[in-house]
Amino acid sequence: MGKIYERIDGRLRTFIEEQQMFFTATAPLGGDGTINLSPKGLTGSFAVLDEQTVAYLDFAGSNAETIAHLRENGRITLMWCAFQGPPNIVRVHGRGEPVFRDDPRFKELLAGFPDIDPSRHGLRAIIVVTAELIRDTCGYAVPFMTYDEDRDLHARRFEREDDESLDSYFHKKEHIAGSIDGLPGLPLPLPPTP
């Protein structure tokens, strides 16, 4: 049955780092705001920074709901579930912050992701999450599914963009600079890659 953890270490850390995908959930403060739930993947784009802190690379896409919600209130939940091996679901509830390209911390944080070439994916920010509650549950109802490989479509789409064309792409999208609910999203113009 479920357990609460003080830190991300040992078997818990191993479980998180072995999963091929995870999910993020955020919401605005307004009761009628749009809740956002996103799948995340791409091998090498997630890192455990220490026993209380995790981070993932936020790549180009057609909206910026997570960034907008974090800028407004910082609340975020990350979830991993075992699709292979023993059943398990792990959730990290915490406070998140988007660290943008022009932030002095960006370059040092980016060094924590040595197994991925972020230039191929239109990297916009690094999302840093400080855990407030870490817990697991059984996962008995999660089906077995097999991981084959990462899709290459995202890299193929965004590797041809430079900073200027990526900024232009973001300016054309309705929900990048502002969320579905009108919250500030990705700050534009996009700063250059450090």
Side-chain angles (χ1 to χ4, degrees):
M1 298 316 271
K3 181 178 176 183
I4 293 177
Y5 298 85
E6 294 292 320
R7 61 191 57 85
I8 301 167
D9 63 1
R11 288 185 309 118
L12 182 67
R13 179 176 180 155
T14 299
F15 172 78
I16 287 173
E17 291 179 332
E18 288 178 347
Q19 303 315 302
Q20 297 299 323
M21 70 178 297
F22 64 99
F23 300 87
T24 67
T26 59
L29 290 176
D32 60 347
T34 305
I35 297 169
N36 189 61
L37 176 64
S38 295
K40 303 293 180 187
L42 294 179
T43 301
S45 65
F46 174 83
V48 177
L49 301 181
D50 62 41
E51 294 179 341
Q52 297 297 133
T53 314
V54 299
Y56 68 89
L57 302 178
D58 180 74
F59 295 121
S62 58
N63 66 55
E65 297 303 300
T66 300
I67 286 174
H69 296 160
L70 293 179
R71 290 182 71 191
E72 183 203 37
N73 61 62
R75 298 177 307 159
I76 188 168
T77 298
L78 307 179
M79 185 190 81
W80 297 261
C81 52
F83 294 113
Q84 298 175 345
N88 195 18
I89 298 171
V90 173
R91 290 179 180 87
V92 172
H93 306 267
R95 308 295 294 176
E97 173 190 12
V99 176
F100 299 113
R101 292 168 160 204
D102 56 353
D103 188 300
R105 300 169 293 166
F106 188 88
K107 196 169 184 178
E108 182 179 344
L109 284 168
L110 188 56
F113 300 88
D115 298 329
I116 191 168
D117 178 0
S119 67
R120 300 182 65 214
H121 297 280
L123 180 61
R124 328 185 273 198
I126 300 171
I127 306 298
V128 179
V129 177
T130 302
E132 294 179 335
L133 174 64
I134 306 161
R135 62 190 183 97
D136 69 2
T137 53
C138 68
Y140 291 166
V142 175
F144 284 110
M145 294 196 296
T146 304
Y147 169 77
D148 295 327
E149 62 187 28
D150 286 351
R151 295 178 193 260
D152 68 349
L153 296 172
H154 195 273
R156 287 192 355 229
R157 165 59 187 93
F158 288 102
E159 68 187 350
R160 62 182 181 248
E161 303 284 357
D162 60 18
D163 289 344
E164 185 178 320
S165 64
L166 191 59
D167 182 69
S168 178
Y169 169 83
F170 290 148
H171 272 90
K172 293 175 187 172
K173 294 293 180 182
E174 183 179 3
H175 298 298
I176 294 287
S179 75
I180 293 170
D181 301 312
L183 297 172
L186 184 68
L188 296 175
L190 185 68
T193 304

